[in-house]
Amino acid sequence: MIANQYKEMLQAKSVIRELFQYATDRGKEIGYENVYDYSLGNPSVPVPQKFTDVMMELLATQEPVALHGYSPTLGIPQVREKIAASLAKRFGLPYTMDEIFMTSGAAGAIAHALRAVSVAGDEILTFAPFFPEYGPYVNLTGAVLRVVPPRVEDFQIHFEALEEMLNEKTAAVLINTPNNPSGVVYSEETIQRLAALLRARSAEYGHDIYLISDEPYREIVFDGAKAPCVSRYYENTIVCYSFSKSLSLPGERIGYVAVNPACKDAKTIVQMCGQISRGIGHNCPSSIIQLAVAEVLEETADLSVYEKNRNVLYEELLRLGFSCVKPDGTFYIFPKALEEDAKAFSEKAKKYDLMLVPGDSFGCAGYFRMSYCIAPEKVERSLEALRRFVEECYPNRNMEQR
Amino acid sequence: MIANQYKEMLQAKSVIRELFQYATDRGKEIGYENVYDYSLGNPSVPVPQKFTDVMMELLATQEPVALHGYSPTLGIPQVREKIAASLAKRFGLPYTMDEIFMTSGAAGAIAHALRAVSVAGDEILTFAPFFPEYGPYVNLTGAVLRVVPPRVEDFQIHFEALEEMLNEKTAAVLINTPNNPSGVVYSEETIQRLAALLRARSAEYGHDIYLISDEPYREIVFDGAKAPCVSRYYENTIVCYSFSKSLSLPGERIGYVAVNPACKDAKTIVQMCGQISRGIGHNCPSSIIQLAVAEVLEETADLSVYEKNRNVLYEELLRLGFSCVKPDGTFYIFPKALEEDAKAFSEKAKKYDLMLVPGDSFGCAGYFRMSYCIAPEKVERSLEALRRFVEECYPNRNMEQR
C-alpha cells in the first residue's frame, strides 16, 4: 500500500523543471551557450574564496571525530551564537542563540516554522505571485494554503483582499520579500500596515497570527538600498533564512530559523523545532558546513552581477513595449506577457531559444518570470533574440501600456 | 497558537541525553577522562584519511558554482550510480540509480520510507529492544508504532508475539540489524522466517507489507562475519542506510534509501521520496558531502576498536555474574541488570562514575545498554570501577544465572 498522496503528486509536472529540461536538451543540439535559459533560480557567481579557505583549514587542522561529529539538535552552539550576534548587530534586535535553529536551507526552515505554529485544518495565507513550492510545503503539513490575489501595479500587498481572507482559522501569513518571482521588496509602509492588521486580527480572534518571513534574497537588494527588517515591525515574526543565494551555496543546504526575540514564545518555538525534527528526519545541516558558514556571516558572493543584469533587462523590456514592475532585488523579473495566455507566449519564445517561465504556477496568470542569474555576456547576447521574438510574434503590440 | 503536539514533547526528557549531560558535568569536576561514559553512540574512530583528501581536492580543483550547486531532488546522479554499483557488487542484487534516494542519514531515510508506505492510522511494527527515536519517527507521521516484546534469550524475533500483532492495518515492519541496543545480528533463519510470514500475511490481507530495514551498523560486524543482506530474502524491503557509523561521519548527515530492485514499486517509491521531501523540507544532503562519500563507498573507519572493546567487556561482564547476549556487531552491549529495576541499578552505577543507560526506553525493562565506542584504554580503566560497583552493591548476586 504505497501512499497515494505522494504517488499522485508525480503526475503534476513542474513547469520550471520541464522548461529547464527542454533547455538542456536544446543545448545538446546547438550548444548550451546559445540557449537563453532564464528558467532556473540557480546562483551564477562563486562562493567567496574565504569560505573555501575556511573549509580547507577545518579539514587540515581539526580532529576528524570532533569535526564530523553530531551537531546538537538545535545546531552547533557557537554557530548559533555567531548568527545571533551578527543579526543583533545588523538589525538592532536582541537575538541570542536561544532564538536560532539551524536548518537545511529555507525549505527546512519553512517546514519547521509551519509545523510549530499550525495544526491540520489551519489556514496559511500567502500572496501572489509566490514561489510555487509553498503549495507542497504547506499542504503536506495538513494545513491549507490560501493565496491572496496580486496587486499587479506594484506587487505590494493587496490589503482589501487580505482583509477579507483573514479569519479565525488563519494560523500564519507567509511572505517572501525580496520576492521570487517579482523581485519586489515590500516597503516599510506595506510591512507596517500588515503588522497593524495582524495585530488587530490576533486580538479579535484571541490567538497569535504568526508572520513567517521567507528571506533567502535578503542580501540581494539593488540601488544601494536595504530590505526593511520585517521582525522590527511585528513581534510574532519567524524568519526563514538560507545562505543558498547570498553565498551561492544552494547545494550545501544551510540556513536557519530566527524567531523574533520580542515574540513571547520565541525560545519555546526554537525548542519545538528540535522536536519537529524528530518527526521529519531533519537532524541539522552538515556540521562542517555549519562551522564554515559561521566564519563568513558578513560576506556575500559578488552580487553586483545581478544588478547589472536587472538594469539591462528592465530597460530593454520597457523599450520593447513590456509592462513591468522594476525589481528592487533578487535575480528575477516578472513582466506582463504580450498576450493573455502566458503559456502560449512562453511556448512561442522557445522558438527563439528564450526560456521564459509562464506566471500561472506563481499564482499570477498573464505574466512571466525571467531568472537572470546568468553571465551578463549571455544576457547581452539574448537581447537580439528577445527583439526578434517580440517584433515577429507581436508586431501590433500596444506600445502605450508601459 | 503554537502546536501543542510538539510543545508537549518538550516535557519528555531523553534518558540518554540526561545521562550524557550528567557525565559532562561530572567531567568538569573530576576530568572527563575519569568518567566511564557508556551513554552515547558517537563513533570514536576517525573518518578514513581518503575522505579528507577527497574533500580537499574537490575544494581545490572544482568550480565552486558547480561544486556547491543544487543537487537534483533524488540526489546527484553519479553518486546514486556509484552507490547502486557498489551495492550490486557487494550483495548481488541488480541495483541501479533508480532504486537509490539520497538522504540526511538514516533518520532522513526512515522519515521518507515511512511516509512512502503508510498513511495516518496504519500500524508499524518494531521489535524490542529498539532505538527509542523510532517512537517520534513513526508517531509524528500519523501512523502508530507497536512494539513486539523481546525474545530475551538471544534478541532474535519473538515470532509468536509477532504473529499475534500483525493485522490488516500493518503497513510495514521496521527492523534494525545489527541492532541498537543489543548488538545482535538477525540470523539468516530469522530473516527467512520473517520473510515467509510477511509474504503470507501480505497475501492474506491483500496488500504488501513492507520491511523497512534500518542498517546503519551493517559494516560493524565481528568475528569476520557479515550481516545477512535482508533485501536478498524479501522483495518488499526498503533499506535505510547511513554513513554515520561506518565512516564516522554522524554530523555530516549522509545516507540513502535503497529499495530492493525486486520490489514491483521500487522506482515509484524512489520518485515518491522526492515528493515527500517537498513536504518535509528535506531537499538532499550537502552536495560536497555526497560527492566525497561516493569516493569512499568501499572503505570504513578502523572498526576493529569496537570488536576489541566488545571482547573485553563481554568477558568481564560474564566473569562478574551478568547474564548477557554476546553482541555480533555494532558498538553496544545490552546485559541484564543485577536488580529488577534497571533505573535504580543505573543510578547506583553513577556513584562509581559509570554511565549505564537503563533499558526501559528501549522497550526492555530490567536491562541496560553500554555504548563502547570509546578508547580501549578507557574501557580497561573502567573495569576496576565496574568490579567495585558490582561487588559493593550486589554482593549476593546470583553467579549461576549466566
Side-chain angles (χ1 to χ4, degrees), chain A residues 10-74:
Chain A
L10 294 173
Q11 308 308 316
K13 288 175 184 159
S14 159
V15 180
I16 301 174
R17 288 265 160 194
E18 282 202 324
L19 198 58
F20 175 65
Q21 190 57 54
Y22 175 88
T24 309
D25 294 345
R26 179 73 176 140
K28 284 174 191 155
E29 290 170 29
I30 62 167
Y32 185 71
E33 70 280 8
N34 297 313
V35 182
Y36 306 115
D37 184 3
Y38 289 107
S39 67
L40 282 195
N42 255 330
S44 61
V45 289
V47 67
Q49 182 60 38
K50 186 173 171 192
F51 174 85
T52 306
D53 295 344
V54 171
M55 287 282 286
M56 304 269 275
E57 200 190 320
L58 287 169
L59 288 162
T61 63
Q62 298 297 298
E63 202 278 300
V65 169
L67 178 62
H68 303 299
Y70 277 115
S71 158
T73 314
L74 306 180

Side-chain angles (χ1 to χ4, degrees), chain B residues 107-358:
Chain B
I110 295 172
H112 285 85
L114 286 170
R115 284 165 175 79
V117 300
S118 72
V119 296
D122 280 354
E123 292 182 2
I124 310 292
L125 299 186
T126 198
F127 303 90
F130 68 100
F131 180 44
E133 288 300 294
Y134 288 175
Y137 286 178
V138 173
N139 295 332
L140 294 179
T141 67
V144 179
L145 183 69
R146 295 188 65 207
V147 180
V148 180
R151 173 167 137 145
V152 291
E153 61 267 37
D154 57 7
F155 293 127
Q156 298 286 321
I157 287 177
H158 187 332
F159 276 103
E160 295 69 28
L162 173 62
E163 283 172 22
E164 263 183 41
M165 290 174 73
L166 279 164
N167 68 63
E168 299 205 341
K169 288 198 277 185
T170 310
V173 170
L174 172 55
I175 62 172
N176 173 217
T177 169
N179 182 265
N180 172 8
S182 75
V184 162
V185 172
Y186 283 170
S187 67
E188 218 178 319
E189 192 197 338
T190 293
I191 300 169
Q192 275 170 337
R193 190 169 164 190
L194 177 63
L197 177 60
L198 295 185
R199 253 179 230 122
R201 295 297 179 96
S202 293
E204 185 183 334
Y205 305 144
H207 68 78
D208 293 328
I209 298 175
Y210 285 88
L211 186 55
I212 301 178
S213 184
D214 177 25
E215 304 185 0
Y217 303 99
R218 184 176 68 199
E219 267 63 69
I220 315 181
V221 180
F222 307 143
D223 306 315
K226 280 192 179 149
C229 168
V230 175
S231 295
R232 292 180 63 93
Y233 299 87
Y234 189 64
E235 48 285 2
N236 290 320
T237 299
I238 304 179
V239 170
C240 295
Y241 187 75
S242 166
F243 294 97
S244 295
K245 316 292 180 176
S246 61
L247 286 175
S248 293
L249 285 176
E252 304 309 348
R253 313 307 309 139
I254 175 97
Y256 56 79
V257 161
V259 191
N260 190 344
C263 168
K264 70 176 189 310
D265 290 314
K267 291 178 173 62
T268 306
I269 288 172
V270 165
Q271 295 286 335
M272 286 166 66
C273 284
Q275 299 302 316
I276 292 165
S277 273
R278 299 167 78 187
I280 61 180
H282 175 275
N283 291 54
C284 291
S286 149
S287 290
I288 190 172
I289 302 289
Q290 286 190 59
L291 293 169
V293 156
E295 299 306 312
V296 290
L297 291 179
E298 318 259 310
E299 308 214 8
T300 66
D302 175 9
L303 307 172
S304 65
V305 167
Y306 305 137
E307 183 159 4
K308 196 179 298 175
N309 290 347
R310 189 272 317 249
N311 292 341
V312 169
L313 281 173
Y314 178 68
E315 268 177 44
E316 185 65 19
L317 286 162
L318 287 197
R319 192 176 303 126
L320 289 171
F322 283 90
S323 162
C324 183
V325 176
K326 189 174 185 180
D328 304 305
T330 76
F331 37 60
Y332 305 109
I333 192 166
F334 199 61
K336 196 171 179 189
L338 293 175
E339 62 181 295
E340 220 167 289
D341 181 352
K343 288 179 186 167
F345 173 83
S346 167
E347 203 53 44
K348 287 173 193 159
K350 276 157 84 174
K351 303 207 176 83
Y352 297 83
D353 294 316
L354 282 163
M355 307 299 131
L356 313 176
V357 183

Side-chain angles (χ1 to χ4, degrees), chain A residues 64-225:
Chain A
V65 169
L67 178 62
H68 303 299
Y70 277 115
S71 158
T73 314
L74 306 180
I76 297 176
Q78 65 266 38
V79 175
R80 295 164 64 209
E81 262 169 22
K82 283 182 179 170
I83 289 171
S86 166
L87 290 176
K89 192 178 82 178
R90 287 181 59 196
F91 300 113
L93 293 171
Y95 282 104
T96 67
M97 65 177 271
D98 295 339
E99 284 91 34
I100 309 295
F101 173 74
M102 299 305 298
T103 67
S104 303
I110 296 171
H112 285 86
L114 287 170
R115 284 164 176 79
V117 300
S118 72
V119 296
D122 281 352
E123 292 182 1
I124 311 290
L125 299 186
T126 199
F127 302 91
F130 68 99
F131 180 46
E133 286 301 292
Y134 288 174
Y137 287 179
V138 173
N139 295 332
L140 294 179
T141 69
V144 179
L145 183 69
R146 295 187 65 206
V147 180
V148 180
R151 172 168 139 144
V152 291
E153 61 267 37
D154 57 8
F155 293 127
Q156 299 285 323
I157 287 177
H158 187 332
F159 276 103
E160 295 69 26
L162 172 62
E163 282 172 22
E164 262 182 44
M165 290 175 73
L166 280 164
N167 67 62
E168 299 207 340
K169 288 199 278 185
T170 310
V173 169
L174 171 56
I175 62 173
N176 174 217
T177 169
N179 181 265
N180 172 8
S182 74
V184 161
V185 173
Y186 282 172
S187 68
E188 217 177 323
E189 190 197 340
T190 294
I191 300 171
Q192 274 169 337
R193 190 168 165 191
L194 177 63
L197 176 60
L198 295 186
R199 253 181 230 121
R201 296 299 179 95
S202 293
E204 183 183 337
Y205 306 145
H207 68 78
D208 293 328
I209 299 175
Y210 285 87
L211 185 55
I212 300 177
S213 184
D214 176 24
E215 304 186 359
Y217 303 99
R218 185 176 67 200
E219 267 65 68
I220 314 180
V221 180
F222 306 143
D223 307 313

Side-chain angles (χ1 to χ4, degrees), chain A residues 271-282:
Chain A
Q271 295 286 334
M272 286 165 66
C273 284
Q275 299 302 315
I276 292 165
S277 273
R278 300 167 77 186
I280 61 181
H282 174 275

Side-chain angles (χ1 to χ4, degrees), chain B residues 74-94:
Chain B
L74 305 180
I76 298 175
Q78 65 266 38
V79 175
R80 295 164 63 209
E81 262 170 23
K82 283 182 179 170
I83 289 172
S86 167
L87 290 175
K89 191 177 82 177
R90 289 181 58 196
F91 301 113
L93 293 170

Side-chain angles (χ1 to χ4, degrees), chain A residues 255-268:
Chain A
Y256 55 80
V257 161
V259 189
N260 190 343
C263 167
K264 70 177 189 309
D265 290 315
K267 290 178 174 62
T268 306

